[in-house]
């Protein structure tokens, strides 16, 4: 595929994404505020204070390099809230594509570059992600991750990590996990807070549409690394699944439907159990190996 053709496809996808964002904003209201808005400044400061408590071990919280990184990310978010999330999605997309090239035997005639989607985020209300064809001349594809999905996956992973039976944390903050289903059931029944936390997160996201409505819960010591692995595996799988639909060619050969997003012009794949299973299988291969190859994680 020529560099010109790839550039035209990406420009076509970007124009359609800009249209979707404008239409979504018109339907759902403006959900962004200027960087100097007092509420925005307060929210970023709250995030800087809350994230270390909820997501880092005591040693990590005292690390000056991590503190500096948090301040840098906060400053970038104030300047352009899209940058941080877009950067994360771009890096994960690069990892998945590198894995696909190295490990996947693509069907004859399928060129990975010609199927490379634009991956971005949008207030879709779809809870996870959606892949679609871009109307136009160049056959572009778009994968949209719901705006709050990454925050939801982080909080949900902590809730799941807390539900797994574990021993006390050692001197290095690590703990042994117990994988017995019977032990997990006993823990959930004995610790009602586990179920309460899970329900709180799901209801806040699926019912109210705002994960910020969920309560704040601190993860017990010794579970931070495990929760991070769960979060990474979930996020890689969501992107890998949607990417798989495109690589397999589901959007090229199957009927599409409109009206899934607030912008009615968006056409996405009509639901099919068979295609969902196919995308699950390839998405699992992509996501597992992307995490192992690029994050050195045993997912």
């Amino acid at each position: 595929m020529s560099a010109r053709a790839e550039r035209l496809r990406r420009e076509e996808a970007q124009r359609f994404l800009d249209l979707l964002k404008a239409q979504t904003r018109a339907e759902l209201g403006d959900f962004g505020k200027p960087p100097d808005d007092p509420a925005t400044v307060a929210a970023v400061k709250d995030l800087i204070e809350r994230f270390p408590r909820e997501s880092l071990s005591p040693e990590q919280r005292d690390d000056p390099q991590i503190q500096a990184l948090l301040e840098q990310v906060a400053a970038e978010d104030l300047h352009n809230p899209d940058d941080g999330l877009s950067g994360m999605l771009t890096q994960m997309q690069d990892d998945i594509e590198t894995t696909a090239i190295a490990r996947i035997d693509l069907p004859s005639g399928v060129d990975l570059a010609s199927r490379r989607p634009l991956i971005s985020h949008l207030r879709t209300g779809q809870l996870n992600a959606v892949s679609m064809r871009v109307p136009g001349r160049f056959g572009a594809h778009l994968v949209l991750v719901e705006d709050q999905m990454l925050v939801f996956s982080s909080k949900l992973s902590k809730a799941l990590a807390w539900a797994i039976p574990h021993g006390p944390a050692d001197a290095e903050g690590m703990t042994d996990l117990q994988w017995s289903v019977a032990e997990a059931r006993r823990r959930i029944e004995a610790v009602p807070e586990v179920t309460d936390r899970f329900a709180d997160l799901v209801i806040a996201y699926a019912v109210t549409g705002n994960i910020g409505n969920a309560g704040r819960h601190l993860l017990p010591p010794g579970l931070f690394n495990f929760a991070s692995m769960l979060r990474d595996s979930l996020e890689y799988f969501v992107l890998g699944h949607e990417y798989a639909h495109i690589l397999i060619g589901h959007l090229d050969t199957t009927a599409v439907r409109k009206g899934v997003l607030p912008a009615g012009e968006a056409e996405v794949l009509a639901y099919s159990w068979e295609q969902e299973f196919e995308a699950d299988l390839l998405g699992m291969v992509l996501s597992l190996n992307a995490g192992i190859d690029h994050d050195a994680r045993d997912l």
Side-chain angles (χ1 to χ4, degrees), residues 124-140:
T124 66
Q126 294 300 297
L127 299 185
N128 45 36
V130 61
S131 52
M132 64 185 67
R133 299 197 299 229
V134 173
R137 299 168 49 196
F138 303 108

Side-chain angles (χ1 to χ4, degrees), residues 260-291:
V260 173
L261 303 179
E265 287 79 3
E267 292 186 341
V268 302
L269 187 67
Y271 193 81
S272 159
W273 275 114
E274 180 180 358
Q275 292 180 342
E276 291 303 309
F277 285 139
E278 289 178 347
D280 279 347
L281 180 59
L282 180 55
M284 179 179 64
V285 173
L286 291 172
S287 60
L288 285 174
N289 288 295

Side-chain angles (χ1 to χ4, degrees), residues 54-292:
E54 295 185 352
S55 302
L56 302 180
S57 66
E59 293 76 14
Q60 290 172 322
R61 290 198 290 268
D62 295 334
D63 188 329
Q65 290 184 332
I66 293 180
Q67 286 292 334
L69 178 61
L70 286 173
E71 293 175 1
Q72 176 186 344
V73 170
E76 292 174 352
D77 282 349
L78 279 175
H79 176 68
N80 185 352
D82 282 351
D83 284 349
L85 181 53
S86 296
M88 291 174 60
L89 294 173
T90 298
Q91 182 59 58
M92 293 173 68
Q93 179 178 10
D94 290 343
D95 293 345
I96 288 174
E97 289 174 351
T98 303
T99 298
I101 293 172
R103 294 178 177 265
I104 304 299
D105 292 327
L106 296 174
S108 177
V110 173
D111 175 19
L112 180 63
S114 69
R115 293 181 178 268
R116 187 175 199 265
L118 174 63
I119 297 181
S120 188
H121 57 96
L122 186 70
R123 192 181 180 189
T124 66
Q126 294 300 297
L127 299 185
N128 45 36
V130 61
S131 52
M132 64 185 67
R133 299 197 299 229
V134 173
R137 299 168 49 196
F138 303 108
H141 295 93
L142 184 62
V143 172
L144 291 176
V145 174
E146 210 283 326
D147 265 340
Q148 299 184 74
M149 193 209 77
L150 296 184
V151 177
F152 176 69
S153 67
S154 177
K155 290 181 175 293
L156 182 65
S157 298
K158 293 171 189 172
L160 292 176
W162 199 40
I164 302 298
H166 58 275
D170 60 22
E172 297 180 354
M174 303 298 290
T175 185
D176 291 327
L177 302 173
Q178 302 169 10
W179 297 105
S180 164
V181 174
E183 289 294 331
R185 182 178 294 112
R186 278 193 286 270
R187 171 168 172 74
I188 292 172
E189 292 174 350
V191 185
E193 292 85 357
V194 171
T195 303
D196 292 343
R197 176 184 294 194
F198 181 85
D200 184 30
L201 294 175
V202 172
I203 291 172
Y205 194 13
V207 178
T208 73
N210 186 355
I211 191 62
N213 291 332
R216 298 177 183 176
H217 308 284
L218 298 180
L219 192 65
L223 298 176
F224 297 102
N225 287 340
F226 178 49
S228 296
M229 291 180 187
L230 290 175
R231 179 200 64 217
D232 290 349
S233 61
L234 171 58
E235 293 172 357
Y236 270 123
F237 178 74
V238 169
L239 287 188
H241 173 96
E242 297 303 331
Y243 216 127
H245 277 308
I246 296 170
L247 290 177
I248 296 171
H250 288 165
L251 276 74
D252 302 330
T253 60
T254 305
V256 296
R257 57 186 174 135
K258 292 186 177 182
V260 173
L261 303 179
E265 287 79 3
E267 292 186 341
V268 302
L269 187 67
Y271 193 81
S272 159
W273 275 114
E274 180 180 358
Q275 292 180 342
E276 291 303 309
F277 285 139
E278 289 178 347
D280 279 347
L281 180 59
L282 180 55
M284 179 179 64
V285 173
L286 291 172
S287 60
L288 285 174
N289 288 295
I292 294 170

